Amino acid sequence: MLKSVRELIEKVNTTNKSISTLMIEQEISALSKTASEVVEAMAKNYAVMKRAVHEGIQGVTTHSGMCGHDARRLWDYINKGVFITDTTMLKAACYAIATNEVNASMGVICATPTAGSSGILPGVMVALQEKYGFPDEAIVDKLFVAGAFGFIIANNAFISGAAGGCQAEIGSASAMTAAAVVALLGGTAEQSANAMAMAMKNMLGLTCDPLAGLVEVPCIKRNASGAVNALLTAELALAGIETKVPWDEVIAAMYATGKNMPASLRETALGGLAVTPTGLKWKKKLWS
């Protein structure tokens, strides 16, 4: 089992195997399945991701009625052709919002690594697939890269907002995605690790403070910011920029930060945005 990012990179360098190959081999061992069965399962996950994206951009209302149709609004904005940044970044953000609106409407999504952060990885990967024309097989292979880093983060820190704040959910998902993007675009294993670390550093201290305790506000829009963060840090890594704090130390810092975070900012809806006047109004409306 992979224990650290450094161990992962060392294995890549000593075996001349890719990160995705090493993760597939770990899954084969852990699940007692064949390589084709492991890859097929991931392909099914990616199919779920794409369906959620396409459902969300049509416009859905969340179960509580607090949110909805923001993905559609952003999709329409993109299609007007007048915007500040670029189509790929906006699509990644749009698809991330779409996925999380589907999640909050009780639709089917793939937790990556959690339901609350499920929009970031599919949002970015679908946007890049549309930009470059990658076949599904290429995307599926790089989902194992995201999985490898997610596995290490989960076993050395947290992926749960209740345990470590939103840095553990959005931060982990953004970090996993950044690493996968680098691999998809031909970067080295070390560059994937650098992207992971830089993405995580940008999310350190992010609180989990959902209005009315629901995975809607600010969770849905935070997925959009996590997607943009993943793209940015992947670009930084591909440009040759390295993290100044070593990979595993960044994960350890996220763990320590989460441990020091008060309970009111760890998914209890007792602090932050959840106790603003608007947050309290929604709590009263939905739970009184």
Side-chain angles (χ1 to χ4, degrees):
M1 292 292 182
L2 300 171
K3 295 180 180 179
S4 68
V5 177
R6 179 152 299 282
E7 178 190 359
L8 171 62
I9 302 306
E10 287 175 352
K11 283 187 175 182
V12 168
N13 292 334
T14 57
T15 64
N16 289 319
K17 294 178 180 179
S18 67
I19 294 174
S20 56
T21 296
L22 291 172
M23 190 59 191
I24 291 168
E25 289 178 350
Q26 178 170 294
E27 291 293 281
I28 291 169
S29 176
L31 302 175
S32 299
K33 292 187 175 182
T34 65
S36 60
E37 288 173 329
V38 169
V39 173
E40 182 181 357
M42 187 64 86
K44 289 180 179 178
N45 289 339
Y46 188 52
V48 169
M49 294 179 201
K50 288 198 291 184
R51 282 198 297 271
V53 165
H54 294 305
E55 179 182 348
I57 62 175
Q58 300 306 312
V60 295
T61 301
T62 62
H63 187 66
S64 70
M66 194 188 308
C67 299
H69 295 265
D70 281 342
R72 182 69 202 188
R73 292 183 183 96
L74 186 50
W75 181 247
D76 290 342
Y77 174 79
I78 293 168
N79 285 310
K80 287 179 182 177
V82 181
F83 36 75
I84 300 166
T85 53
D86 83 316
T87 308
T88 303
M89 193 203 81
L90 287 174
K91 281 187 174 181
C94 176
Y95 297 164
I97 291 171
T99 301
N100 269 84
E101 287 186 333
V102 168
N103 173 59
S105 69
M106 303 297 116
V108 179
I109 53 90
C110 182
T112 55
T114 65
S117 61
S118 60
I120 298 169
L121 183 59
V124 170
M125 299 308 266
V126 171
L128 289 176
Q129 185 174 30
E130 291 178 354
K131 178 181 177 69
Y132 292 107
F134 292 117
D136 279 3
E137 292 78 9
I139 303 293
V140 169
D141 182 71
K142 299 310 179 282
L143 293 180
F144 285 101
V145 175
F149 285 99
F151 180 87
I152 292 168
I153 292 168
N155 283 282
N156 287 279
F158 334 85
I159 56 170
S160 161
C166 202
Q167 59 164 9
E169 296 206 21
I170 298 297
S172 296
S174 188
M176 292 163 57
T177 302
V181 170
V182 169
L184 182 65
L185 296 180
T188 66
E190 287 85 354
Q191 287 175 324
S192 280
N194 283 326
M196 179 280 302
M198 289 187 285
M200 180 67 76
K201 286 192 293 185
N202 290 346
M203 295 287 178
L204 284 183
L206 187 60
T207 61
C208 186
D209 49 354
L211 271 63
L214 301 175
V215 187
E216 297 188 31
V217 179
C219 322
I220 294 172
K221 295 183 184 71
R222 281 185 182 164
N223 273 260
S225 66
V228 172
N229 182 53
L231 287 170
L232 171 61
T233 50
E235 297 261 41
L236 295 178
L238 288 166
I241 297 172
E242 299 180 352
T243 177
K244 296 300 182 183
V245 180
W247 313 313
D248 294 301
E249 289 183 23
V250 173
I251 295 172
M254 189 268 274
Y255 177 72
T257 301
K259 294 290 284 186
N260 289 326
M261 195 175 286
S264 62
L265 299 177
R266 287 189 279 116
E267 211 171 346
T268 57
L270 297 175
L273 294 171
V275 294
T276 59
T278 297
L280 294 175
K281 285 179 184 177
W282 275 103
K283 180 180 179 180
K284 182 178 181 180
K285 177 179 180 179
L286 296 173
W287 299 116
S288 295

